[in-house]
Amino acid sequence: MAACVLVFLCVDPMKLDVTKTRKDFPILEREVRPGVRLTYLDSTATSQKPLSVIQTMDDFYRMSNANIHRGVHSLAEESTTLYEGARERIAKFINSASARQVIYTRNTTESINLVAYSWARANLKQGDLVILTEMEHHSNLVPWHMLQAERGIELDFVPVTEDGLLDMETYKTLLSRSPKLVSFTHMSNVLGTINPAAEIIRLAHAAGAITLVDGAQSAPHLQVDVQDLDADFFAFSAHKMCGPTGIGVLYGKAALLESMPPFLGGGDMIREVKLRSFRANSLPHKFEAGTPAIAEAIGFGAAVDYLATLGMENIAAHEHEVTEYALERLEEIPGVKLFGPSADKKGGVAAFTLDGIHPHDVAQILDQDGIAVRAGHHCAQPLHEKFGIPATSRASFYLYNTKEEVDMLVNGIYKVKKMFG
Ligand code: C6P
């Protein structure tokens, strides 16, 4: 508590102290090869982890490791308390009305699949319409393709405009066809577009549809308030928000989650089992079959503590500053084509092509200088098709990135251009 007070006395609470923040991430100190420092511009794929998360998980395995919900011995109680305590803090982080509405999953992908297998298979029949968008990640496309093949549901898509925004007028037209579900990404992992989620949800509800928000890219970067959004389901992953891999969350409105059948069957998700029948457990355990990712859930709790201490608004403001600078600098480079809207409508993502040079070559040459960017379709192949390109190079920015790193990227791109003549 005393430390908290000191932090706020010493640092302008509106401004993220990036030099100090970087010291929390041991990996940022490393050299990729002798003499070459890491410039990590791939947090959209996965973020780096602060010491507090690493230490929390290390402490758990050293001191408290035991299975949860299964023992009365001290360690079992301790690990259960830590695991459920993390759930409480994650619930608070997204302003869920209760922790029982926060279901632990492996990641965003599994959260979306949970809705597709449980809610959708119980509620959708042949001909029912699900609205998606053209900027979805494969995780929010393929589960619906699978259901379409199995059930004959219909899919339709909100188009993406040339400047990387959702075409809201067409969305309104699609809503007149009485969809059952609208499932969309809050923030695009390629264009960086921050979609008007509250408005999309309000319109969906007015048309009688329920909503699923893919928050994989928004939860790490924006202040998310699931009650304010009025989202029916909200899916996100720990590993993109300073937490470990192997743990994610599906948030859902209590009445919906209560009404849904279990997803996977096994231990912990049951109240009673007979040879020929079972009764499901209450929320949230109904959807958490088998021994879960205990250390990872506890690490996720430490990650949201870390983000909350820095302040999500401060994180978003810092990322905006770096992204705005990055877009300005990248635009200056002849042959660079950027995708997505202007900085005021997007998060910390800059996807681009470089005239005549394959994105994989760009990424590989940047790597020689320790600059980590991703190249490919970023699991958003239909979006790339829409723009008539097979792939992009993508630099992404998080709370530890600096304008100096943007300069490194820009210099690196000039070097790529020089190498290719
Ligand atoms: N995008 C990227 O490099 P998982 O893998 O389940 O944690 O997250 C899936 C996912 C879902 N939706 C969006 C918008 C995403 O960006 C991602 C993950 C990473 O862009 C890995 S492909």
Side-chain angles (χ1 to χ4, degrees):
M1 187 64 191
C4 268
V5 172
L6 267 180
V7 167
F8 283 102
L9 285 178
C10 301
V11 180
D12 174 359
M14 294 311 290
K15 186 113 176 109
L16 198 98
D17 182 349
V18 70
T19 312
K20 184 167 169 282
T21 303
R22 286 179 69 82
K23 295 207 171 86
D24 296 333
F25 293 82
I27 205 168
L28 299 180
E29 295 292 318
R30 73 160 276 187
E31 293 181 341
V32 177
R33 57 188 70 85
V36 180
R37 273 288 278 277
L38 171 68
T39 299
Y40 189 75
L41 302 179
D42 197 20
S43 297
T44 293
T46 197
S47 75
Q48 296 304 345
K49 321 302 173 200
L51 211 49
S52 60
V53 170
I54 299 166
Q55 268 167 358
T56 298
M57 294 176 72
D58 186 72
D59 287 350
F60 171 73
Y61 278 127
R62 283 175 193 276
M63 301 301 294
S64 310
N65 180 49
N67 212 330
I68 52 153
H69 303 149
R70 284 160 172 86
V72 288
H73 60 77
S74 302
L75 286 193
E77 278 185 13
E78 208 169 296
S79 67
T80 302
T81 304
L82 290 168
Y83 178 83
E84 292 302 338
R87 192 197 306 272
E88 296 274 350
R89 300 196 316 282
I90 296 163
K92 193 163 166 235
F93 184 76
I94 57 166
N95 195 30
S96 169
S98 73
R100 55 197 277 281
Q101 291 164 257
V102 167
I103 315 295
Y104 284 132
T105 60
R106 278 189 307 145
N107 46 39
T108 304
T109 304
E110 188 173 286
S111 299
I112 295 171
N113 275 277
L114 199 168
V115 177
Y117 276 91
S118 175
W119 178 84
R121 278 168 172 79
N123 288 282
L124 299 186
K125 56 182 191 320
Q126 182 166 12
D128 282 346
L129 176 63
V130 171
I131 295 182
L132 308 167
T133 85
E134 286 180 345
M135 64 168 80
E136 297 312 311
H137 187 277
H138 298 166
S139 296
N140 195 29
L141 289 171
V142 181
W144 309 112
H145 295 157
M146 288 160 71
L147 194 62
Q148 183 179 41
E150 185 186 311
R151 276 288 156 87
I153 61 164
E154 278 188 41
L155 303 179
D156 218 328
F157 302 88
V158 183
V160 173
T161 63
E162 264 310 297
D163 48 357
L165 301 173
L166 287 181
D167 175 349
M168 292 296 283
E169 287 314 307
T170 305
Y171 174 52
K172 287 175 197 162
T173 312
L174 288 173
L175 286 176
S176 67
R177 288 169 51 201
S178 302
K180 292 286 187 326
L181 172 71
V182 176
S183 186
F184 66 98
T185 188
H186 198 175
M187 177 175 146
S188 163
N189 65 323
V190 178
L191 306 168
T193 315
I194 298 170
N195 288 319
E199 175 70 354
I200 293 170
I201 291 168
R202 189 184 65 73
L203 292 167
H205 287 166
I210 71 144
T211 53
L212 164 54
V213 182
D214 172 352
Q217 297 299 344
S218 60
H221 306 280
L222 309 172
Q223 179 87 60
V224 167
D225 181 329
V226 286
Q227 294 190 73
D228 200 42
L229 285 175
D230 202 18
D232 298 293
F233 296 110
F234 190 94
F236 57 112
S237 302
H239 71 95
K240 294 186 196 290
M241 46 198 296
C242 295
T245 51
I247 186 87
V249 158
L250 175 70
Y251 158 85
K253 283 188 177 161
L256 274 170
L257 292 172
E258 300 275 15
S259 73
M260 284 158 52
F263 172 37
L264 301 170
D268 220 25
M269 53 70 69
I270 46 84
R271 190 178 295 290
E272 186 189 43
V273 181
K274 305 252 177 181
L275 264 185
R276 293 185 189 281
S277 63
F278 78 97
R279 274 198 308 129
N281 208 336
S282 52
L283 292 177
H285 312 296
K286 176 166 91 169
F287 295 109
E288 294 176 6
T291 300
I294 303 168
E296 287 77 3
I298 295 165
F300 195 1
V304 297
D305 291 347
Y306 180 78
L307 294 175
T309 305
L310 291 181
M312 291 308 288
E313 281 173 15
N314 301 339
I315 292 170
H318 171 76
E319 284 174 24
H320 177 72
E321 204 179 313
V322 175
T323 307
E324 198 168 42
Y325 178 69
L327 298 186
E328 266 170 39
R329 295 259 12 235
L330 289 167
E331 249 158 16
E332 285 166 12
I333 306 174
V336 163
K337 181 173 187 313
L338 281 160
F339 294 86
S342 52
D344 57 321
K345 296 189 186 70
K346 73 192 273 170
V349 184
F352 62 94
T353 51
L354 191 52
D355 245 0
I357 308 175
H358 195 280
H360 280 117
D361 292 330
V362 174
Q364 246 164 23
I365 296 166
L366 288 174
D367 181 59
Q368 289 172 9
D369 288 330
I371 303 165
V373 301
R374 188 174 166 189
H377 53 57
H378 318 297
C379 302
Q381 221 172 346
L383 179 66
H384 282 76
E385 252 165 47
K386 163 97 187 180
F387 284 100
I389 43 168
T392 48
S393 303
R394 184 189 66 185
S396 52
F397 313 105
Y398 202 17
L399 47 87
Y400 34 68
N401 291 119
T402 64
K403 290 184 182 172
E404 289 69 36
E405 289 181 307
V406 171
D407 293 338
M408 294 275 292
L409 170 69
V410 170
N411 294 342
I413 295 173
Y414 275 112
K415 197 167 149 187
V416 175
K417 278 168 66 84
K418 209 167 152 194
M419 280 177 77
F420 278 81

